[in-house]
Amino acid sequence: MKMKDFGPGFPEWTELGQDGGLDPLGMQRPIEAIYQSLLPGISTITLRFRYYSFFAWMLETYARAQGNTDPVAFRAFQRRCEALFALIAARGSTELGVAGIDWAQKQLGDCLNDPETIIDFSVGADPDTDDGQRYLRNKGGAFGGIYATQMFEMGLITLGDDRNPIAICTNRALPLAEAFAAEIGELGTAFLRCVKAGTATLADLDRMAPMQPSEIVEGSAEHRLLIQVLLGRLSPAIAPDKLRRSTAIMLLQLIGTTREVPRAEAVKWEWFSTVHQAAESAPAIEDVRVMWALYQACDLMRLAYENILDLALDILQEAELRRMPLGEVLAELVGLVDVPRGMTWRDYSTSLLEGLEPAMAARLADERIVEARVSGDRATRMQSVVRLVAALVERATAFGELLDNALNAPDHFQSLRTEVRFLQARAKEDARTVLGALVRERVLKRHFWVASRKFRNQKAYTFLIEPEEGLLRYRDRFRVSPSSPRLDQAMRFLRDVKLIDDTGLTDFGRAELMSNEVL
């Protein structure tokens, strides 16, 4: 597996981690490229899986009934469908993860609870309505702004082009559209009637409750097809199917073993700890498991460096006039770590592992970083950061050639690969000198380079520290947090198609695991 081509203009905003897309060291995009390849068709904002069958039905209905290639006409139809879907989901016990649900709840909360009460959603669905009145501010709606690209990755739709700007279902999606139509039956006619009118009564919404995201009927054709889509079992299979299936099966295996639905952080640590060597000819699932371990190692290196930057901001924020020379900031950061004199970086970093396996050493260091950050213990935090870096460099040896192949990009894409090279090249140098170079070159000066590139290429001013007449001046903070690699969304989808529930695997989930073992 190789990293995607990022194109010109690096670094850019990303979907990961930080508030407002801030990536102060430009280390997130290589990480993003890894996990995007492992869960294709799922994003951090695709929240309910029934949208995939609902939108397939919507597209096929529009193509057959109207066939108008005017994007304005299609958007009007699409947005009314989505607004009505939100109202249906908000009626009764509110569904989570539905686009426009807050708007829908407000519409229902402002009306009398009389079955004949009419809800006019035409204004809220109109893309030209004032922002505050729209069900979604994005004029592309949930389909255009969220689900279209993911359905395209799954091979369910073709995106619009110059000849026909309207997305259409592929042959893979047509059975899903037909299954959804069969499942809702005459409710489809009622739904389209309300869409055309731009209004619906509360009685209409109650009648259409079986269309809600959670109302997938177990054992139905729609249910079986959604499982096949999610687990990459459609034929003929495409590369994204196989990768998504491997990750999904790994999740089912873990849930089956633990008998609970874990949090994404627990999943990441489990897969990070259980992979020991990257085999050249590993089975598909094991190959994907190694890639997930590599993702976690990359993200932990980013977190280590961002913690150093965050500590530098702490120091500057407390300085007189919030200004200090670079040398003093550097000395204070390095001074937080007790590095024995005359020891090489190799010997020092080895001693930091305390005889533990690298994966365990990394996990303990990460836990100490989090605790020290909460307590404000800067020395423990910085020492734990250095332990984490040392553990990750040692852990990287297990990835073998994969480290270079998966992170094969120019060195200005700072990543686990570049940092392992930086430290290995200095293994015989004085440990304290190496640590100082890491803080100065790989963190502080790196931030200046990244922020200047963003300013030049994107006109975005993201400097957290500004150089000013030979001093560093504090400017702003950022939030240090692990990335969100779509695992929570994948488990939400597994729940939607009844493969897991609060107790762990369902009968459907166990059957799927058994069929995978047979294969």
Side-chain angles (χ1 to χ4, degrees):
M1 298 180 188
K2 290 189 177 182
M3 182 179 294
K4 296 180 180 178
D5 179 14
F6 298 122
F10 168 83
E12 297 179 359
W13 302 120
T14 74
E15 71 171 80
L16 288 179
Q18 315 309 330
D19 293 331
L22 186 60
D23 179 14
L25 299 176
M27 296 180 71
Q28 289 182 350
R29 295 190 72 210
I31 300 165
E32 196 175 71
I34 293 175
Y35 83 71
Q36 283 177 341
S37 70
L38 297 175
L39 275 172
I42 302 174
S43 81
T44 54
I45 51 177
T46 52
L47 302 180
R48 299 305 298 268
F49 198 48
R50 202 177 195 186
Y51 266 120
Y52 289 66
S53 54
F54 171 70
F55 282 138
W57 172 76
M58 180 193 77
L59 290 174
E60 186 61 12
T61 297
Y62 182 83
R64 291 183 178 182
Q66 299 191 36
N68 188 342
T69 59
D70 180 1
V72 175
F74 171 73
R75 181 169 293 176
F77 172 77
Q78 168 215 322
R79 288 180 63 89
R80 284 194 177 191
C81 286
E82 292 178 6
L84 179 56
F85 193 71
L87 288 167
I88 294 169
R91 180 70 173 162
S93 59
T94 300
E95 297 266 352
L96 300 176
V98 175
I101 197 70
D102 291 341
W103 167 88
Q105 288 175 322
K106 185 177 186 305
Q107 306 308 305
L108 295 176
D110 291 344
C111 69
L112 296 174
N113 192 22
D114 182 329
E116 299 308 313
T117 298
I118 297 174
I119 306 293
D120 185 338
F121 57 89
S122 62
V123 175
D126 188 340
D128 295 323
T129 299
D130 291 342
D131 287 1
Q133 293 183 284
R134 296 179 202 160
Y135 77 98
L136 277 185
R137 292 189 177 185
N138 186 329
K139 290 189 176 184
F143 177 72
I146 301 173
Y147 287 89
T149 54
Q150 305 307 320
M151 292 180 70
F152 173 75
E153 280 199 5
M154 286 186 172
L156 297 175
I157 65 170
T158 61
L159 299 176
D161 53 30
D162 292 339
R163 182 179 176 184
N164 177 18
I166 311 303
I168 60 174
C169 291
T170 63
N171 290 334
R172 286 162 63 96
L174 291 178
L176 186 58
E178 293 169 1
F180 184 84
E183 193 58 40
I184 63 174
E186 63 181 13
L187 296 180
T189 302
F191 183 92
L192 294 172
R193 184 187 69 247
C194 292
V195 167
K196 183 176 181 179
T199 61
T201 65
L202 295 183
D204 289 329
L205 300 181
D206 291 336
R207 189 161 52 251
M208 291 185 283
M211 296 180 69
Q212 292 180 348
S214 62
E215 293 299 315
I216 300 169
V217 176
E218 294 183 0
S220 66
E222 181 197 8
H223 181 221
R224 292 194 300 272
L225 283 167
L226 282 174
I227 290 177
Q228 290 178 17
V229 170
L230 181 59
L231 300 190
R233 288 173 47 197
L234 292 182
S235 183
I238 57 178
D241 291 338
K242 298 173 184 178
L243 294 167
R244 187 173 60 256
R245 176 172 178 77
S246 293
T247 296
I249 292 298
M250 286 163 54
L251 285 171
L252 291 177
Q253 289 172 339
L254 179 58
I255 292 168
T257 300
T258 60
R259 298 185 180 181
E260 64 179 6
V261 180
R263 296 180 62 85
E265 280 302 301
V267 175
K268 291 190 291 184
W269 280 115
E270 174 68 20
W271 292 346
F272 179 72
S273 301
T274 56
V275 174
H276 301 292
Q277 186 69 37
E280 292 183 4
S281 58
I285 286 182
E286 292 309 312
D287 186 52
V288 169
R289 192 185 303 272
V290 173
M291 288 296 293
W292 275 112
L294 177 61
Y295 149 79
Q296 176 71 339
C298 290
D299 201 45
L300 288 170
M301 185 63 82
R302 173 186 68 84
L303 287 172
Y305 279 22
E306 288 189 1
N307 268 281
I308 295 174
L309 178 59
D310 194 53
L311 281 166
L313 293 173
D314 275 349
I315 293 168
L316 281 171
Q317 193 171 16
E318 293 179 359
E320 184 178 359
L321 300 177
R322 296 186 173 185
R323 291 163 172 81
M324 284 179 68
L326 170 61
E328 290 185 18
V329 176
L330 184 63
E332 189 160 342
L333 285 169
V334 175
L336 294 171
V337 184
D338 183 17
V339 184
R341 293 187 180 277
M343 184 176 281
T344 66
W345 172 258
R346 175 182 294 165
D347 291 341
Y348 176 61
S349 61
T350 299
S351 72
L352 293 177
L353 301 185
E354 300 175 327
L356 297 172
E357 288 290 331
M360 178 57 71
R363 184 164 190 172
L364 290 175
D366 180 69
E367 290 174 355
R368 289 168 183 164
I369 290 170
V370 174
E371 293 170 358
R373 188 160 183 249
V374 172
S375 67
D377 185 344
R378 291 180 187 171
T380 298
R381 186 179 174 192
M382 186 64 184
Q383 292 163 14
S384 300
V385 164
V386 178
R387 288 179 189 276
L388 178 56
V389 170
L392 292 173
V393 172
E394 183 65 27
R395 182 74 174 84
T397 61
F399 297 119
E401 294 182 359
L402 182 64
L403 187 67
D404 289 329
N405 294 336
L407 298 171
N408 183 21
D411 284 348
H412 62 248
F413 287 90
Q414 190 162 289
S415 67
L416 177 68
R417 170 177 171 264
T418 62
E419 302 321 290
V420 167
R421 285 184 173 185
F422 174 83
L423 290 169
Q424 287 180 340
R426 292 158 179 79
K428 297 181 180 180
E429 296 179 14
D430 178 75
R432 192 174 186 84
T433 301
V434 173
L435 181 58
L438 184 150
V439 174
R440 182 180 62 253
E441 304 297 330
R442 314 306 290 178
V443 178
L444 298 179
K445 289 188 176 180
R446 169 70 178 180
H447 172 62
F448 293 141
W449 184 85
V450 168
S452 65
R453 288 291 292 257
K454 287 180 180 178
F455 184 67
R456 181 165 67 250
N457 296 331
Q458 300 170 253
K459 302 299 184 280
Y461 197 84
T462 61
F463 285 89
L464 303 174
I465 302 172
E466 294 174 325
E468 181 184 88
E469 297 180 354
L471 300 175
L472 300 184
R473 181 172 76 87
Y474 168 87
R475 184 178 180 273
D476 204 358
R477 302 304 299 236
F478 72 108
R479 183 167 62 91
V480 181
S481 64
S483 64
S484 177
R486 308 177 179 182
L487 289 170
D488 283 327
Q489 286 72 28
M491 287 187 279
R492 172 72 260 183
F493 284 7
L494 291 173
R495 188 184 294 269
D496 277 351
V497 294
K498 325 292 185 184
L499 294 177
I500 62 174
D501 58 22
D502 290 339
T503 63
L505 293 181
T506 64
D507 290 341
F508 288 104
R510 282 186 283 273
E512 186 58 44
L513 270 186
M514 290 180 63
S515 68
N516 185 71
E517 291 173 0
V518 170
L519 293 175

